[in-house]
Amino acid sequence: MVKIIAKKSLGTQNVYDIGVERDHNFIIKNGLVASNCFNKSHSTAYGYVTYQTAYLKANYPLEYMAALLTANCDDTDKVQKYIATCTNMGIQIDPPDINSSGVDFTPLGGKIVFGLSAVRNVGQNAIASILEARETTGDFKSLADFCDRIDLTAVNRRTLQSLIYCGAFDKLDSNRNQLIHDLDLVYDWAQSRARDRATGQGNLFDLLGGGFSSKNNTPQNSFDSAPKAKSVPDFPPQEKLRMEKELLGFYVSDHPLKSIRRTAKILAPINLSQLGEQQEDTTLCAVVILNNVKKVITKKGDPMAILQIEDLTAQSEAVVFPKNYERVNLLLQVDARLIIWGKVDRRDEQTQFIVEDAEPVETVQMVMVEFNPQQAATIEEQHRLRTILQEQSGEKEKAKVPVIGVVQAGNSRRLVRFGRQFWVQNSISTVQALQNAQFMARVQPLVND
């Protein structure tokens, strides 16, 4: 039986201990702080639901996360957080797919597929038409086959463009630019065929159930005769991601920050989903991409900026006040990948990141210093290293190059991040000074292109 006992009062909040009563012996299991006292029936119900959801997540992770994403599909922050959770759980999230997506998030083949309802400009009538055609006559074979079989009064050109741009046709043809160029021709062709069918003027191939090709007498599908545009190269990867973000609200097939996720952890940035947990006076850093930059003029006439930032876990707002704006304003471009330093500000129940400095991730360099275990444990060596780094640090606000210690012991390799007070101004001169002092040191960029 779950039992809650009030132990003591702290201001306006009461501290409760939750435990399990066994043979009249009360066993403490966890401590909670709550502003309201739940009666026994409430706490029992919450405990039971918590057990159920924990069981489902542990034993049916794919189905559980798909349901969780569907239930919170209207909350962008929560969906992004749950997508990050899926990534950490090893669950892949695929973009919408015209041959496998349902209305909502769907578990399929060890992955979760985005639902068609998540795509901007795709309405319920269009989804119903797509699912009905797929269930009635099977998977779609091409863009022409798709346009020929669905109801074009429900699925218009704009809907088709959105489906192509977000990757819903990628498994049929991964060249999204080619599909966009083909679309106008194919759409008009399909409309013409639909009009012919409506007036009883069916195509000869339709009447015969498929014709024969002129070369080898093999059956020919009606959509094989659909017109195609001149061949064009595909969109660049970053352009594909930008359009995905615009239509789905998220980067799905990839993320601009994913390639540097592991190396960025060396700098100990916080995740934006953890921003509300940080203390206000602590200097923080985060690796982010800028989604929007809004320039603002203060009452005194000074420029500042309000930023919409994003990482792999969440989106948030950041502010650059006038005293720092002049130094970093040239870096504040939409889609720029930055490492930002600053502090947390809480106002009107909202948490903001106050940006004090920034640098493009492409230019971030780290000084790597290698040790064996004996060197790392020797006080004299530590002192020599500390002295060199302090000499190279100079003014604290100008020291932006992090220093990472690499302790190698046999097959074991451990990274030790030096505190911000030991960051240096110039990576080249620091490495030279360390090498002159018989330390093994090198420069390593954060991003390896």
Side-chain angles (χ1 to χ4, degrees):
M1 182 179 78
V2 177
K3 189 174 184 180
I4 296 183
I5 299 177
K7 301 295 288 184
K8 60 182 177 179
S9 177
L10 293 177
T12 59
Q13 296 183 321
N14 293 325
V15 178
Y16 302 96
D17 290 319
I18 293 182
V20 179
E21 192 175 41
R22 296 178 185 167
D23 300 326
H24 305 288
N25 293 319
F26 188 75
I27 304 172
I28 302 299
K29 303 296 286 185
N30 192 14
L32 295 179
V33 177
S35 57
N36 298 300
C37 180
F38 288 159
N39 60 36
K40 188 179 295 186
S41 63
H42 284 185
S43 52
T44 301
Y46 279 127
Y48 185 59
V49 171
T50 300
Y51 171 81
Q52 288 179 313
T53 53
Y55 176 85
L56 291 172
K57 185 176 182 179
N59 293 278
Y60 302 93
L62 206 65
E63 292 78 5
Y64 175 80
M65 293 308 298
L68 196 60
L69 286 163
T70 297
N72 293 277
C73 62
D74 294 329
D75 191 324
T76 302
D77 288 340
K78 284 188 177 180
V79 170
Q80 187 164 14
K81 181 175 71 173
Y82 295 145
I83 288 176
T85 300
C86 287
T87 300
N88 293 333
M89 294 170 65
I91 298 174
Q92 183 175 328
I93 306 290
D94 277 0
D97 177 49
I98 57 166
N99 279 331
S100 58
S101 288
V103 176
D104 299 313
F105 289 89
T106 305
L108 185 68
K111 303 176 183 179
I112 295 177
V113 184
F114 250 83
L116 295 174
S117 61
V119 186
R120 189 172 298 173
N121 305 323
V122 179
Q124 293 302 316
N125 290 338
I127 295 173
S129 176
I130 293 169
L131 296 181
E132 181 182 3
R134 198 172 75 199
E135 292 169 3
T136 303
T137 51
D139 287 353
F140 302 106
K141 305 298 189 300
S142 67
L143 176 63
D145 181 38
F146 180 87
C147 292
D148 192 39
R149 287 163 52 190
I150 48 100
D151 181 2
L152 295 179
T153 61
V155 184
N156 56 32
R157 293 175 197 260
R158 189 183 182 194
T159 296
L160 278 164
Q161 287 173 347
S162 296
L163 289 170
I164 291 170
Y165 281 136
C166 77
F169 283 89
D170 277 6
K171 291 184 180 178
L172 300 182
D173 187 343
S174 61
N175 189 333
R176 299 181 192 177
N177 194 19
Q178 184 67 56
L179 289 173
I180 289 295
H181 278 74
D182 290 343
L183 179 58
D184 281 342
L185 296 174
V186 171
Y187 196 86
D188 290 341
W189 168 83
Q191 279 188 321
S192 175
R193 286 173 56 82
R195 285 194 297 267
D196 288 345
R197 285 194 293 267
T199 57
Q201 301 180 39
N203 183 287
L204 178 62
F205 292 134
D206 295 331
L207 296 174
L208 297 177
F212 295 92
S213 66
S214 58
K215 290 186 179 181
N216 54 15
N217 291 332
T218 56
Q220 180 183 27
N221 294 312
S222 58
F223 58 82
D224 288 341
S225 61
K228 284 185 68 70
K230 196 174 186 179
S231 296
V232 293
D234 201 0
F235 297 116
Q238 293 301 318
E239 180 66 8
K240 284 187 172 184
L241 289 179
R242 185 192 66 78
M243 291 185 289
E244 277 183 23
K245 176 69 181 296
E246 181 179 332
L247 292 166
L248 301 175
F250 315 94
Y251 297 106
V252 182
S253 62
D254 202 352
H255 194 287
L257 299 178
K258 189 176 289 185
S259 61
I260 61 172
R261 176 177 54 185
R262 291 184 179 178
T263 52
K265 283 184 178 179
I266 298 175
L267 303 180
I270 62 162
N271 294 327
L272 293 183
S273 61
Q274 303 168 329
L275 197 60
E277 305 168 10
Q278 309 303 312
Q279 295 183 0
E280 293 192 47
D281 294 332
T282 307
T283 298
L284 309 168
C285 75
V287 177
V288 302
I289 185 169
L290 299 190
N291 289 335
N292 189 43
V293 179
K294 181 181 179 182
K295 184 177 178 180
V296 179
I297 303 299
T298 67
K299 293 180 180 180
K300 295 182 179 180
D302 299 322
M304 60 176 287
I306 298 175
L307 315 176
Q308 294 299 322
I309 59 176
E310 173 183 338
D311 66 4
L312 291 168
T313 66
Q315 301 181 31
S316 186
E317 185 175 88
V319 178
V320 186
F321 286 118
K323 65 178 181 179
N324 298 313
Y325 179 81
E326 185 176 353
R327 183 170 65 255
V328 302
N329 75 91
L330 295 179
L331 305 177
L332 305 181
Q333 306 293 329
V334 173
D335 293 334
R337 298 185 300 173
L338 302 176
I339 176 171
I340 57 176
W341 290 271
K343 297 180 179 179
V344 172
D345 177 64
R346 293 184 179 88
R347 189 172 302 175
D348 298 330
E349 298 184 356
Q350 289 187 340
T351 302
Q352 295 177 322
F353 196 110
I354 306 302
V355 178
E356 297 177 346
D357 207 350
E359 186 174 353
V361 297
E362 292 79 8
T363 64
V364 175
Q365 292 185 322
M366 300 175 288
V367 172
M368 312 295 288
V369 189
E370 298 189 12
F371 308 93
N372 58 44
Q374 291 74 25
Q375 278 183 303
T378 303
I379 295 178
E380 291 79 6
E381 291 291 284
Q382 294 175 13
H383 177 72
R384 285 202 310 128
L385 178 61
R386 186 184 300 111
T387 301
I388 295 171
L389 295 180
Q390 288 175 338
E391 290 173 352
Q392 296 292 326
S393 294
E395 298 178 35
K396 182 179 178 181
E397 63 274 8
K398 294 182 180 180
K400 296 183 180 180
V401 180
V403 179
I404 310 296
V406 183
V407 182
Q408 188 80 34
N411 295 326
S412 174
R413 185 171 182 267
R414 182 179 179 185
L415 300 182
V416 180
R417 182 181 59 256
F418 286 78
R420 184 73 193 273
Q421 69 272 26
F422 295 111
W423 288 22
V424 297
Q425 293 190 33
N426 186 289
S427 58
I428 302 298
S429 62
T430 301
V431 166
Q432 188 62 56
L434 289 168
Q435 290 177 346
N436 291 340
Q438 306 304 309
F439 286 104
M440 293 181 62
R442 56 186 169 84
V443 176
Q444 179 172 311
L446 180 65
V447 179
N448 290 308
D449 294 325

